[in-house]
Amino acid sequence: MSSLITPELVVLDQNLGTDRAAVIRTLAQRVVDAGRATDVDALFADAWERESKTDTGIPGGLAIPHCRSAAVTVPTLVMARPNPGVDFGEEDAPADLIFFIAAPAGADQAHLALLSTLARSLIREDFTDALRSAPTPQAVVDLVDDALAPAAPAEPAATAPDTEASAASASTTARPVLVAVTACPTGIAHTYMAADSLAAAAERAGAELHVETQGSSSVTPLDPAVIDRASAVIFAVDVDVRDKGRFAGMPLVQAPVKRGIDEPDKMIAEALAASTDPNARRVSGSGADAATAGDDARSEHFGQKLKRYLLTGVSYMIPFVAGGGLLIALGFLLAGYQITENAADIALNNNLLNLPDGGLAQYLGAVAYVIGDASMDFLVPALAGYIAYAIADRPGIAVGFTAGAVAVFMNAGFLGGLVGGLLGGFIAWAIGRLSVPRWLRGLMPVVIIPLVGSIFASGLMIVVLGGPIAALSSGLTTWLSSLTGASAVLLGLILGTMMAIDLGGPVNKVAYAFAVAGLGVASLENQVPWTIMAAVMAAGMVPPLALALATVVDRKSFSGAERENGKAAWLLGAAFISEGAIPFAAADPLRVIPAGIVGSAITGAIVMGTGVTSQAPHGGIFVFFAIGNLAMFIVAILVGTIVSAALVVLLKRFARRRPTAADASTTDATTASGVPATV
């Protein structure tokens, strides 16, 4: 097995600058230069995506940026000891020890276990102190190798299961028993560090703790007997807990995984207090909780929860719309728009050996249209089903899907799906919160909740809500169909602004969800929803394309890292991935975001004003065959891109903030690794 770290992967006492993204890119470049990854842009993008979810700084001046990436060919650790330290989001101090962990997307269990072992070593002060005083890169490599070396066999009486962090022997029955689950999106570092931190805190508190680490390496579930003995459960997670129903009815303390590292003593104290509190928050009878994994319910208000529920539904709905929309567009391309009249008859009554009068193209076009139309029929049920899932976990899916199907039956459309999903989810959640005998708990998620929840949610949709929502949906469709001239242009300006204002954030997602929802009611007679989809897509392509162009036109206004990001932004923008502009906006929001808004708004207005259409919800220029009036679609994007790029360049040249003393010390400075210092 190849070594995780070599001397060329160690950076000691160099000034890496103060920009977190630039530091991560520098470390990613080290991995590529060592021949252990193929593409620095792809590796950086994966690492930055993980960093954007949760800060990777931890107490004690440490940071562990990490990711799994298809660009990585060999599991790798890069260790940096920067001078000065770099802010990775931890309040106590900047990080003066940075460990960049890069794992292949399909890393084997042995390598993942080594990476997890290393992560656990970082909470040992003797290990980090030795790294801070190591005189040479080779000394660092030796310390890491020693930490990864197999431990000497322990006495049987002191041995704990491999996947459990136990704070005491199970035989000590007088001690309170707690169980915990730790998990993070990558499953390499935080998962195991939180487990060990909580175990140490439990030991200090005199409690017995068993932890199930749901990481990248193999997972061994907690023994049901241990769960039965436990008086409370801790979820230190950033992703969904697998098989949450095992903990139904138990007092619960839940927080992001990073809190398990930062505040383990507080979490253990909260769990011990909850174990004796009859009013403590509990895992519901269905295994779903009031908040999904990774959310701290104490800090999330109802508006944030509602947004998360709706966006979860939209995210699960999009694949149905994407596949269906592209197949319908392909059907039109092969067989013409008239295929809507007889597609079902052709698909059922013809085959490859008995082609219709229009030949092979007409037959394949009919098949594509039928499949696409069937996929689009899932739009509203899938939306409702997964909104309910976000609220009530798996038991809510059946209730939500049924309510969504009823919304379709009532002609309530997208709005009916939203209401049905929320209604079904909250009803399923409420039923799951009921205290029932242990023998009945197994029936709750598979029989009781789907049955009772569907009766109430779908019954209310039919008897009370369906009619009014159908009328409202019909009125909205009529209004959209009537948009022409100035009103259409104004809508394009608004949608374009929303797409650029937060680059993939909540406002962007609202505009996108509005456009995608309309695809379900679009037709040859009502093409306005297709036009709205085209406006949203084109406007979302502008910010990354504009910044890519700006880095070419005015290279001196951008750092080396930004110019590298600009190369990737060409492809991201062309594929309608607005997030390609985020690295630029994060570094310079007051100049980048306004420039992007102006260009995107112009593009949206041009698309709406000229009647460009898109039957595909995603894909950018790569779904050209689904774009109506492709030439004007391209013109609109070019105009917005040029306007935004010009504004970015002008603002960077002439709208400069007044230098500070700190800036004076770093302006024009370049680190030993070749990374320009940020100002």
Side-chain angles (χ1 to χ4, degrees), residues 10-41:
V10 178
V11 182
L12 296 181
D13 305 321
Q14 293 186 15
N15 183 351
L16 300 181
T18 58
D19 179 39
R20 190 190 316 186
V23 171
I24 292 176
R25 178 173 283 277
T26 298
L27 302 182
Q29 186 65 58
R30 287 263 176 167
V31 180
V32 174
D33 291 344
R36 303 166 77 99
T38 57
D39 186 341
V40 67
D41 291 325

PDB file of all heavy atoms in Angstrom, residues 10-41:
ATOM      1  N   VAL A  10       4.727  18.035   2.268  1.00  0.00           N
ATOM      2  CA  VAL A  10       4.796  18.764   3.536  1.00  0.00           C
ATOM      3  C   VAL A  10       5.260  20.194   3.255  1.00  0.00           C
ATOM      4  O   VAL A  10       6.239  20.418   2.543  1.00  0.00           O
ATOM      5  CB  VAL A  10       5.759  18.075   4.522  1.00  0.00           C
ATOM      6  CG1 VAL A  10       5.850  18.873   5.820  1.00  0.00           C
ATOM      7  CG2 VAL A  10       5.315  16.645   4.798  1.00  0.00           C
ATOM      8  N   VAL A  11       4.533  21.167   3.787  1.00  0.00           N
ATOM      9  CA  VAL A  11       4.868  22.588   3.625  1.00  0.00           C
ATOM     10  C   VAL A  11       5.095  23.164   5.013  1.00  0.00           C
ATOM     11  O   VAL A  11       4.169  23.222   5.825  1.00  0.00           O
ATOM     12  CB  VAL A  11       3.730  23.354   2.919  1.00  0.00           C
ATOM     13  CG1 VAL A  11       4.123  24.813   2.711  1.00  0.00           C
ATOM     14  CG2 VAL A  11       3.375  22.705   1.593  1.00  0.00           C
ATOM     15  N   LEU A  12       6.325  23.595   5.304  1.00  0.00           N
ATOM     16  CA  LEU A  12       6.666  24.062   6.642  1.00  0.00           C
ATOM     17  C   LEU A  12       7.002  25.547   6.650  1.00  0.00           C
ATOM     18  O   LEU A  12       7.839  26.016   5.863  1.00  0.00           O
ATOM     19  CB  LEU A  12       7.847  23.269   7.202  1.00  0.00           C
ATOM     20  CG  LEU A  12       7.630  21.765   7.427  1.00  0.00           C
ATOM     21  CD1 LEU A  12       8.893  21.142   8.019  1.00  0.00           C
ATOM     22  CD2 LEU A  12       6.438  21.521   8.332  1.00  0.00           C
ATOM     23  N   ASP A  13       6.322  26.275   7.533  1.00  0.00           N
ATOM     24  CA  ASP A  13       6.664  27.659   7.874  1.00  0.00           C
ATOM     25  C   ASP A  13       6.708  28.581   6.663  1.00  0.00           C
ATOM     26  O   ASP A  13       7.564  29.476   6.583  1.00  0.00           O
ATOM     27  CB  ASP A  13       8.003  27.685   8.620  1.00  0.00           C
ATOM     28  CG  ASP A  13       7.992  26.774   9.838  1.00  0.00           C
ATOM     29  OD1 ASP A  13       6.953  26.732  10.522  1.00  0.00           O
ATOM     30  OD2 ASP A  13       9.002  26.088  10.082  1.00  0.00           O
ATOM     31  N   GLN A  14       5.801  28.403   5.726  1.00  0.00           N
ATOM     32  CA  GLN A  14       5.694  29.293   4.576  1.00  0.00           C
ATOM     33  C   GLN A  14       4.472  30.181   4.720  1.00  0.00           C
ATOM     34  O   GLN A  14       3.475  29.808   5.348  1.00  0.00           O
ATOM     35  CB  GLN A  14       5.599  28.493   3.270  1.00  0.00           C
ATOM     36  CG  GLN A  14       6.854  27.724   2.913  1.00  0.00           C
ATOM     37  CD  GLN A  14       6.752  27.068   1.543  1.00  0.00           C
ATOM     38  OE1 GLN A  14       5.883  27.405   0.755  1.00  0.00           O
ATOM     39  NE2 GLN A  14       7.650  26.143   1.262  1.00  0.00           N
ATOM     40  N   ASN A  15       4.539  31.348   4.124  1.00  0.00           N
ATOM     41  CA  ASN A  15       3.397  32.263   4.089  1.00  0.00           C
ATOM     42  C   ASN A  15       2.491  31.848   2.940  1.00  0.00           C
ATOM     43  O   ASN A  15       2.806  32.073   1.772  1.00  0.00           O
ATOM     44  CB  ASN A  15       3.886  33.704   3.897  1.00  0.00           C
ATOM     45  CG  ASN A  15       2.737  34.703   3.923  1.00  0.00           C
ATOM     46  OD1 ASN A  15       1.569  34.329   3.914  1.00  0.00           O
ATOM     47  ND2 ASN A  15       3.083  35.980   3.965  1.00  0.00           N
ATOM     48  N   LEU A  16       1.372  31.235   3.265  1.00  0.00           N
ATOM     49  CA  LEU A  16       0.433  30.790   2.240  1.00  0.00           C
ATOM     50  C   LEU A  16      -0.654  31.810   1.966  1.00  0.00           C
ATOM     51  O   LEU A  16      -1.587  31.542   1.217  1.00  0.00           O
ATOM     52  CB  LEU A  16      -0.213  29.467   2.661  1.00  0.00           C
ATOM     53  CG  LEU A  16       0.737  28.288   2.891  1.00  0.00           C
ATOM     54  CD1 LEU A  16      -0.044  27.038   3.267  1.00  0.00           C
ATOM     55  CD2 LEU A  16       1.582  28.030   1.656  1.00  0.00           C
ATOM     56  N   GLY A  17      -0.551  33.000   2.583  1.00  0.00           N
ATOM     57  CA  GLY A  17      -1.594  33.998   2.422  1.00  0.00           C
ATOM     58  C   GLY A  17      -2.706  33.779   3.429  1.00  0.00           C
ATOM     59  O   GLY A  17      -2.644  32.894   4.288  1.00  0.00           O
ATOM     60  N   THR A  18      -3.751  34.596   3.325  1.00  0.00           N
ATOM     61  CA  THR A  18      -4.842  34.528   4.285  1.00  0.00           C
ATOM     62  C   THR A  18      -6.157  34.066   3.668  1.00  0.00           C
ATOM     63  O   THR A  18      -7.150  33.917   4.374  1.00  0.00           O
ATOM     64  CB  THR A  18      -5.077  35.915   4.921  1.00  0.00           C
ATOM     65  OG1 THR A  18      -5.364  36.864   3.877  1.00  0.00           O
ATOM     66  CG2 THR A  18      -3.853  36.360   5.694  1.00  0.00           C
ATOM     67  N   ASP A  19      -6.176  33.829   2.363  1.00  0.00           N
ATOM     68  CA  ASP A  19      -7.399  33.399   1.688  1.00  0.00           C
ATOM     69  C   ASP A  19      -7.516  31.882   1.760  1.00  0.00           C
ATOM     70  O   ASP A  19      -6.683  31.150   1.233  1.00  0.00           O
ATOM     71  CB  ASP A  19      -7.380  33.873   0.234  1.00  0.00           C
ATOM     72  CG  ASP A  19      -8.623  33.425  -0.528  1.00  0.00           C
ATOM     73  OD1 ASP A  19      -9.713  33.451   0.062  1.00  0.00           O
ATOM     74  OD2 ASP A  19      -8.496  33.047  -1.702  1.00  0.00           O
ATOM     75  N   ARG A  20      -8.572  31.419   2.419  1.00  0.00           N
ATOM     76  CA  ARG A  20      -8.748  29.986   2.623  1.00  0.00           C
ATOM     77  C   ARG A  20      -8.805  29.226   1.302  1.00  0.00           C
ATOM     78  O   ARG A  20      -8.193  28.164   1.154  1.00  0.00           O
ATOM     79  CB  ARG A  20     -10.029  29.738   3.428  1.00  0.00           C
ATOM     80  CG  ARG A  20     -10.200  28.316   3.901  1.00  0.00           C
ATOM     81  CD  ARG A  20     -11.574  28.024   4.477  1.00  0.00           C
ATOM     82  NE  ARG A  20     -12.068  29.051   5.373  1.00  0.00           N
ATOM     83  CZ  ARG A  20     -13.196  28.945   6.075  1.00  0.00           C
ATOM     84  NH1 ARG A  20     -13.921  27.843   5.983  1.00  0.00           N
ATOM     85  NH2 ARG A  20     -13.613  29.918   6.858  1.00  0.00           N
ATOM     86  N   ALA A  21      -9.563  29.747   0.339  1.00  0.00           N
ATOM     87  CA  ALA A  21      -9.697  29.058  -0.948  1.00  0.00           C
ATOM     88  C   ALA A  21      -8.352  28.949  -1.657  1.00  0.00           C
ATOM     89  O   ALA A  21      -8.017  27.906  -2.240  1.00  0.00           O
ATOM     90  CB  ALA A  21     -10.703  29.788  -1.836  1.00  0.00           C
ATOM     91  N   ALA A  22      -7.556  30.023  -1.599  1.00  0.00           N
ATOM     92  CA  ALA A  22      -6.251  29.986  -2.254  1.00  0.00           C
ATOM     93  C   ALA A  22      -5.325  28.974  -1.588  1.00  0.00           C
ATOM     94  O   ALA A  22      -4.539  28.293  -2.262  1.00  0.00           O
ATOM     95  CB  ALA A  22      -5.615  31.381  -2.228  1.00  0.00           C
ATOM     96  N   VAL A  23      -5.438  28.844  -0.265  1.00  0.00           N
ATOM     97  CA  VAL A  23      -4.600  27.876   0.449  1.00  0.00           C
ATOM     98  C   VAL A  23      -4.993  26.456   0.046  1.00  0.00           C
ATOM     99  O   VAL A  23      -4.130  25.606  -0.225  1.00  0.00           O
ATOM    100  CB  VAL A  23      -4.739  28.076   1.971  1.00  0.00           C
ATOM    101  CG1 VAL A  23      -4.056  26.932   2.725  1.00  0.00           C
ATOM    102  CG2 VAL A  23      -4.129  29.406   2.383  1.00  0.00           C
ATOM    103  N   ILE A  24      -6.296  26.190  -0.012  1.00  0.00           N
ATOM    104  CA  ILE A  24      -6.743  24.848  -0.407  1.00  0.00           C
ATOM    105  C   ILE A  24      -6.287  24.541  -1.823  1.00  0.00           C
ATOM    106  O   ILE A  24      -5.847  23.422  -2.126  1.00  0.00           O
ATOM    107  CB  ILE A  24      -8.276  24.740  -0.284  1.00  0.00           C
ATOM    108  CG1 ILE A  24      -8.676  24.791   1.194  1.00  0.00           C
ATOM    109  CG2 ILE A  24      -8.787  23.448  -0.918  1.00  0.00           C
ATOM    110  CD1 ILE A  24     -10.174  24.793   1.419  1.00  0.00           C
ATOM    111  N   ARG A  25      -6.374  25.526  -2.724  1.00  0.00           N
ATOM    112  CA  ARG A  25      -5.909  25.295  -4.095  1.00  0.00           C
ATOM    113  C   ARG A  25      -4.410  25.012  -4.121  1.00  0.00           C
ATOM    114  O   ARG A  25      -3.931  24.158  -4.876  1.00  0.00           O
ATOM    115  CB  ARG A  25      -6.250  26.495  -4.986  1.00  0.00           C
ATOM    116  CG  ARG A  25      -5.744  26.340  -6.411  1.00  0.00           C
ATOM    117  CD  ARG A  25      -6.237  27.440  -7.307  1.00  0.00           C
ATOM    118  NE  ARG A  25      -7.615  27.243  -7.700  1.00  0.00           N
ATOM    119  CZ  ARG A  25      -7.998  26.470  -8.698  1.00  0.00           C
ATOM    120  NH1 ARG A  25      -7.094  25.804  -9.408  1.00  0.00           N
ATOM    121  NH2 ARG A  25      -9.256  26.327  -8.996  1.00  0.00           N
ATOM    122  N   THR A  26      -3.632  25.720  -3.297  1.00  0.00           N
ATOM    123  CA  THR A  26      -2.194  25.476  -3.240  1.00  0.00           C
ATOM    124  C   THR A  26      -1.901  24.042  -2.806  1.00  0.00           C
ATOM    125  O   THR A  26      -1.046  23.359  -3.383  1.00  0.00           O
ATOM    126  CB  THR A  26      -1.531  26.456  -2.252  1.00  0.00           C
ATOM    127  OG1 THR A  26      -1.733  27.787  -2.721  1.00  0.00           O
ATOM    128  CG2 THR A  26      -0.038  26.186  -2.135  1.00  0.00           C
ATOM    129  N   LEU A  27      -2.627  23.575  -1.792  1.00  0.00           N
ATOM    130  CA  LEU A  27      -2.408  22.208  -1.317  1.00  0.00           C
ATOM    131  C   LEU A  27      -2.879  21.191  -2.355  1.00  0.00           C
ATOM    132  O   LEU A  27      -2.250  20.135  -2.531  1.00  0.00           O
ATOM    133  CB  LEU A  27      -3.133  22.002   0.013  1.00  0.00           C
ATOM    134  CG  LEU A  27      -2.719  22.962   1.146  1.00  0.00           C
ATOM    135  CD1 LEU A  27      -3.459  22.633   2.430  1.00  0.00           C
ATOM    136  CD2 LEU A  27      -1.217  22.929   1.378  1.00  0.00           C
ATOM    137  N   ALA A  28      -3.974  21.504  -3.041  1.00  0.00           N
ATOM    138  CA  ALA A  28      -4.432  20.618  -4.118  1.00  0.00           C
ATOM    139  C   ALA A  28      -3.392  20.540  -5.230  1.00  0.00           C
ATOM    140  O   ALA A  28      -3.168  19.474  -5.824  1.00  0.00           O
ATOM    141  CB  ALA A  28      -5.767  21.113  -4.669  1.00  0.00           C
ATOM    142  N   GLN A  29      -2.739  21.666  -5.517  1.00  0.00           N
ATOM    143  CA  GLN A  29      -1.695  21.667  -6.545  1.00  0.00           C
ATOM    144  C   GLN A  29      -0.538  20.762  -6.139  1.00  0.00           C
ATOM    145  O   GLN A  29       0.079  20.097  -6.988  1.00  0.00           O
ATOM    146  CB  GLN A  29      -1.199  23.102  -6.765  1.00  0.00           C
ATOM    147  CG  GLN A  29      -0.205  23.251  -7.913  1.00  0.00           C
ATOM    148  CD  GLN A  29      -0.833  22.938  -9.256  1.00  0.00           C
ATOM    149  OE1 GLN A  29      -1.800  23.561  -9.654  1.00  0.00           O
ATOM    150  NE2 GLN A  29      -0.279  21.962  -9.970  1.00  0.00           N
ATOM    151  N   ARG A  30      -0.237  20.715  -4.841  1.00  0.00           N
ATOM    152  CA  ARG A  30       0.819  19.817  -4.357  1.00  0.00           C
ATOM    153  C   ARG A  30       0.471  18.355  -4.674  1.00  0.00           C
ATOM    154  O   ARG A  30       1.341  17.570  -5.056  1.00  0.00           O
ATOM    155  CB  ARG A  30       0.989  19.982  -2.843  1.00  0.00           C
ATOM    156  CG  ARG A  30       1.671  21.269  -2.427  1.00  0.00           C
ATOM    157  CD  ARG A  30       3.137  21.046  -2.192  1.00  0.00           C
ATOM    158  NE  ARG A  30       3.823  22.291  -1.874  1.00  0.00           N
ATOM    159  CZ  ARG A  30       5.049  22.364  -1.379  1.00  0.00           C
ATOM    160  NH1 ARG A  30       5.709  21.225  -1.137  1.00  0.00           N
ATOM    161  NH2 ARG A  30       5.621  23.508  -1.140  1.00  0.00           N
ATOM    162  N   VAL A  31      -0.800  18.011  -4.485  1.00  0.00           N
ATOM    163  CA  VAL A  31      -1.227  16.640  -4.759  1.00  0.00           C
ATOM    164  C   VAL A  31      -1.043  16.315  -6.243  1.00  0.00           C
ATOM    165  O   VAL A  31      -0.550  15.244  -6.605  1.00  0.00           O
ATOM    166  CB  VAL A  31      -2.697  16.441  -4.339  1.00  0.00           C
ATOM    167  CG1 VAL A  31      -3.149  15.009  -4.619  1.00  0.00           C
ATOM    168  CG2 VAL A  31      -2.885  16.756  -2.859  1.00  0.00           C
ATOM    169  N   VAL A  32      -1.436  17.249  -7.100  1.00  0.00           N
ATOM    170  CA  VAL A  32      -1.286  17.040  -8.542  1.00  0.00           C
ATOM    171  C   VAL A  32       0.182  16.978  -8.931  1.00  0.00           C
ATOM    172  O   VAL A  32       0.595  16.110  -9.716  1.00  0.00           O
ATOM    173  CB  VAL A  32      -2.017  18.160  -9.315  1.00  0.00           C
ATOM    174  CG1 VAL A  32      -1.752  18.039 -10.814  1.00  0.00           C
ATOM    175  CG2 VAL A  32      -3.519  18.103  -9.047  1.00  0.00           C
ATOM    176  N   ASP A  33       1.004  17.887  -8.388  1.00  0.00           N
ATOM    177  CA  ASP A  33       2.438  17.905  -8.717  1.00  0.00           C
ATOM    178  C   ASP A  33       3.125  16.606  -8.287  1.00  0.00           C
ATOM    179  O   ASP A  33       4.123  16.199  -8.909  1.00  0.00           O
ATOM    180  CB  ASP A  33       3.116  19.103  -8.037  1.00  0.00           C
ATOM    181  CG  ASP A  33       2.673  20.430  -8.637  1.00  0.00           C
ATOM    182  OD1 ASP A  33       2.096  20.416  -9.747  1.00  0.00           O
ATOM    183  OD2 ASP A  33       2.891  21.476  -7.996  1.00  0.00           O
ATOM    184  N   ALA A  34       2.603  15.983  -7.250  1.00  0.00           N
ATOM    185  CA  ALA A  34       3.193  14.720  -6.782  1.00  0.00           C
ATOM    186  C   ALA A  34       2.708  13.528  -7.604  1.00  0.00           C
ATOM    187  O   ALA A  34       3.091  12.392  -7.325  1.00  0.00           O
ATOM    188  CB  ALA A  34       2.863  14.505  -5.307  1.00  0.00           C
ATOM    189  N   GLY A  35       1.869  13.781  -8.608  1.00  0.00           N
ATOM    190  CA  GLY A  35       1.378  12.700  -9.457  1.00  0.00           C
ATOM    191  C   GLY A  35       0.308  11.850  -8.803  1.00  0.00           C
ATOM    192  O   GLY A  35       0.059  10.717  -9.221  1.00  0.00           O
ATOM    193  N   ARG A  36      -0.363  12.397  -7.776  1.00  0.00           N
ATOM    194  CA  ARG A  36      -1.369  11.623  -7.042  1.00  0.00           C
ATOM    195  C   ARG A  36      -2.790  12.080  -7.356  1.00  0.00           C
ATOM    196  O   ARG A  36      -3.752  11.578  -6.779  1.00  0.00           O
ATOM    197  CB  ARG A  36      -1.085  11.722  -5.540  1.00  0.00           C
ATOM    198  CG  ARG A  36       0.333  11.240  -5.191  1.00  0.00           C
ATOM    199  CD  ARG A  36       0.739  11.636  -3.789  1.00  0.00           C
ATOM    200  NE  ARG A  36       0.145  10.801  -2.770  1.00  0.00           N
ATOM    201  CZ  ARG A  36       0.762   9.784  -2.167  1.00  0.00           C
ATOM    202  NH1 ARG A  36       2.000   9.456  -2.519  1.00  0.00           N
ATOM    203  NH2 ARG A  36       0.162   9.085  -1.234  1.00  0.00           N
ATOM    204  N   ALA A  37      -2.920  13.053  -8.256  1.00  0.00           N
ATOM    205  CA  ALA A  37      -4.214  13.512  -8.756  1.00  0.00           C
ATOM    206  C   ALA A  37      -4.002  14.040 -10.166  1.00  0.00           C
ATOM    207  O   ALA A  37      -2.887  14.425 -10.542  1.00  0.00           O
ATOM    208  CB  ALA A  37      -4.817  14.591  -7.855  1.00  0.00           C
ATOM    209  N   THR A  38      -5.089  14.073 -10.936  1.00  0.00           N
ATOM    210  CA  THR A  38      -4.962  14.395 -12.361  1.00  0.00           C
ATOM    211  C   THR A  38      -5.390  15.807 -12.710  1.00  0.00           C
ATOM    212  O   THR A  38      -4.962  16.341 -13.733  1.00  0.00           O
ATOM    213  CB  THR A  38      -5.809  13.418 -13.194  1.00  0.00           C
ATOM    214  OG1 THR A  38      -7.184  13.479 -12.749  1.00  0.00           O
ATOM    215  CG2 THR A  38      -5.296  11.994 -13.027  1.00  0.00           C
ATOM    216  N   ASP A  39      -6.217  16.448 -11.902  1.00  0.00           N
ATOM    217  CA  ASP A  39      -6.814  17.725 -12.295  1.00  0.00           C
ATOM    218  C   ASP A  39      -6.954  18.599 -11.060  1.00  0.00           C
ATOM    219  O   ASP A  39      -7.759  18.314 -10.175  1.00  0.00           O
ATOM    220  CB  ASP A  39      -8.177  17.477 -12.946  1.00  0.00           C
ATOM    221  CG  ASP A  39      -8.806  18.746 -13.507  1.00  0.00           C
ATOM    222  OD1 ASP A  39      -8.395  19.844 -13.104  1.00  0.00           O
ATOM    223  OD2 ASP A  39      -9.714  18.628 -14.356  1.00  0.00           O
ATOM    224  N   VAL A  40      -6.178  19.673 -10.997  1.00  0.00           N
ATOM    225  CA  VAL A  40      -6.217  20.537  -9.822  1.00  0.00           C
ATOM    226  C   VAL A  40      -7.552  21.253  -9.704  1.00  0.00           C
ATOM    227  O   VAL A  40      -8.068  21.463  -8.597  1.00  0.00           O
ATOM    228  CB  VAL A  40      -5.046  21.553  -9.851  1.00  0.00           C
ATOM    229  CG1 VAL A  40      -5.212  22.550 -10.989  1.00  0.00           C
ATOM    230  CG2 VAL A  40      -4.938  22.289  -8.519  1.00  0.00           C
ATOM    231  N   ASP A  41      -8.166  21.632 -10.843  1.00  0.00           N
ATOM    232  CA  ASP A  41      -9.450  22.328 -10.789  1.00  0.00           C
ATOM    233  C   ASP A  41     -10.537  21.428 -10.212  1.00  0.00           C
ATOM    234  O   ASP A  41     -11.340  21.851  -9.377  1.00  0.00           O
ATOM    235  CB  ASP A  41      -9.861  22.808 -12.183  1.00  0.00           C
ATOM    236  CG  ASP A  41      -8.972  23.928 -12.702  1.00  0.00           C
ATOM    237  OD1 ASP A  41      -8.535  24.748 -11.870  1.00  0.00           O
ATOM    238  OD2 ASP A  41      -8.711  23.989 -13.909  1.00  0.00           O
TER     239      ASP A  41
END
